[in-house]
Amino acid sequence: MEYAEPPDPILGVTEAYKRDTSPDKLNLGVGAYRTEELQPYMLEVVKKAERIMIDSEDNKEYLPIEGLADFNKATAELLLGKDNAAIREGRVTTLQSLSGTGSLRVGAAFIGKFLPGRTVYLSNPTWGNHKNIFADAGVEWKEYRYFDKATIGLDFEGMTADLEAAPDGSIAVLHGCAHNPTGVDPTREQWGAIADLCERKGHLPFFDVAYQGFASGSLDDDAWAPRFFANRGIEIMVAQSYSKNLGLYAERVGAINFVLADAAAAKRVLSQIKRIARALYSNPPVHGARIASTVISRPELFAEWNTEMDEMAGRIKSVRQLLYDELTKLEPSRDWSFVTRQIGMFSFTGLSPKQARTWLPGRCSLPCCNVENMTQKHHVYMTKDGRISLAGLSAAKTPALAAAIVDSFKV
Ligand code: LMR
């Protein structure tokens, strides 16, 4: 083995943060929710579900390869809506998998095996792990334009031109809501045009839904895009994660869903993804899936979950507003309105490494770009693409963060 891999672009930031001994350090790298005291948050509703589970003395036998039946039913209904026609008609296949990453990986293996020669199109930029996941499954990926640096908004023309130029039957990976890392989503009208394009070109949309309920505080609003495609009769794949919205990061709870043209296809696809999952990890863990299905299926817990999610989303929105206010106060000549226009956990700041070399957080001797300046001088840890996780920011730390950003734009 000749080469050591550089640290992971996202999880490697946490490793570097842990090595920093400064009392002022701030970890805005990984997208993980923190309280105003910057502590991890365990949802009260999760604790209640776990108490119910202990009392019911469920066993720890293997789950079926496709996972917990109650969870699979609950998660498909949460995604598509309870009265969804595709569910009623048996056209939906759901397999519980290992949060967003595992679900995407099963989907990627399915594409590699059954849609050979089809290229996956990822937004530029996208979540750091997408390229890794498809490459690991041996699936070719390319990028479509997404982010317009000039407007700090969606490059809708670029996006649709690139998806139009892609060969018919390509796979388009779409972020269901709260695009990671930019926080910039298409409008509903633009989603309509993207759906038209996919239908006309025979593209297969593969949604990554990592923030349902966490972006807007509403489970229905955040699932609008995949529901819209499914209700139009377009076949879709959807990866779901419960890491953020239920705070079940380490439990690895998620699912891969296929909404298909008919029930026979749904049965065939299930048999194939079971085979893929069996080879990758055999069967999924039970604990987190039981928590999620308990919360989703009990009306009183479901209502409480919605309240807690709304509180988390609300805290992120309030630090977003505060950051905008502080930045505007410090540097009124710059337009900071992108901070409040972006949605979800992240802000895409426009800070970026100027050098093309690999950057190791905290390891370079001199700050040579503005992201390094954030880390080395100000002890603010963030991903090198300029993304900061506002879920890891407190109101108390916001003035210091704003000062660090303004200072770093001068580097
Ligand atoms: C993130 O984007 O920070 C999260 O989804 C965590 C991860 O696994 O990368």
Side-chain angles (χ1 to χ4, degrees), residues 8 10-11 29-32 101 127 129 180 211 244 252 346 387:
D8 181 79
I10 297 174
L11 302 183
V30 68
T101 299
W127 175 48
N129 212 15
N180 177 2
Y211 310 105
K244 327 284 177 179
R252 313 312 292 147
F346 302 110
R387 184 190 89 167

Side-chain angles (χ1 to χ4, degrees), residues 228-246:
F228 174 73
F229 278 62
N231 293 341
R232 278 187 50 163
I234 301 172
E235 292 194 324
I236 56 172
M237 294 167 68
V238 189
Q240 285 173 287
S241 162
Y242 288 89
S243 294
K244 327 284 177 179
N245 56 10
L246 261 176

Side-chain angles (χ1 to χ4, degrees), residues 36 58 81 96 99-101 145 176 183 202 209 220 227 265-266 268 278 281 283 309 327 342-343 378 397 410:
E36 176 58 28
D58 285 324
Q96 179 198 335
S99 201
T101 299
R145 280 170 283 170
V209 174
D220 289 334
R227 285 182 190 180
R268 286 195 300 271
R278 173 71 168 141
Y281 54 82
N283 44 68
M309 222 157 20
L327 287 166
Q342 294 166 346
I343 65 156
H378 298 284
K397 291 269 190 188
K410 294 181 183 144

Side-chain angles (χ1 to χ4, degrees), residues 246-290:
L246 261 176
L248 292 178
Y249 305 93
E251 298 289 0
R252 313 312 292 147
V253 193
I256 175 82
N257 302 268
F258 288 70
V259 182
L260 297 161
D262 57 63
K267 285 207 179 73
R268 286 195 300 271
V269 168
L270 179 62
S271 73
Q272 295 297 349
I273 52 178
K274 279 172 68 174
R275 188 160 166 206
I276 290 168
R278 173 71 168 141
L280 284 173
Y281 54 82
S282 194
N283 44 68
V286 72
H287 188 76
R290 267 191 194 134

Side-chain angles (χ1 to χ4, degrees), residues 68-210:
L68 190 68
D70 287 351
F71 169 79
N72 285 345
K73 180 175 183 299
T75 198
E77 288 179 357
L78 192 83
L79 175 70
L80 297 169
K82 255 201 167 125
D83 54 351
N84 183 275
I87 297 180
R88 266 200 325 268
E89 292 158 13
R91 294 190 283 113
V92 180
T93 272
T94 304
L95 175 126
Q96 179 198 335
S97 191
L98 312 183
S99 201
T101 299
S103 305
L104 286 159
R105 183 65 180 76
V106 170
F110 179 89
I111 292 165
K113 206 164 167 188
F114 298 103
L115 303 172
R118 309 254 201 130
T119 302
V120 165
Y121 283 77
L122 302 171
S123 64
N124 180 16
T126 193
W127 175 48
N129 212 15
H130 276 151
K131 294 174 184 171
N132 207 22
I133 289 167
F134 288 100
D136 197 48
V139 173
E140 190 197 8
W141 57 264
K142 291 187 175 148
E143 292 180 311
Y144 60 85
R145 280 170 283 170
Y146 190 82
F147 185 67
D148 183 347
K149 279 194 182 125
T151 60
I152 319 189
L154 179 66
D155 177 3
F156 183 66
E157 255 96 82
M159 176 183 187
T160 47
D162 289 350
L163 290 176
E164 191 72 58
D168 290 0
S170 296
I171 291 106
V173 173
L174 303 166
H175 298 223
C177 69
H179 181 270
N180 177 2
T182 65
V184 173
D185 285 352
T187 62
R188 289 189 177 182
E189 199 188 340
Q190 288 168 334
W191 276 123
I194 297 164
D196 289 344
L197 192 158
C198 288
E199 203 165 28
R200 186 160 34 78
K201 298 270 307 171
H203 289 343
L204 174 60
F206 189 171
F207 282 94
D208 184 356
V209 174

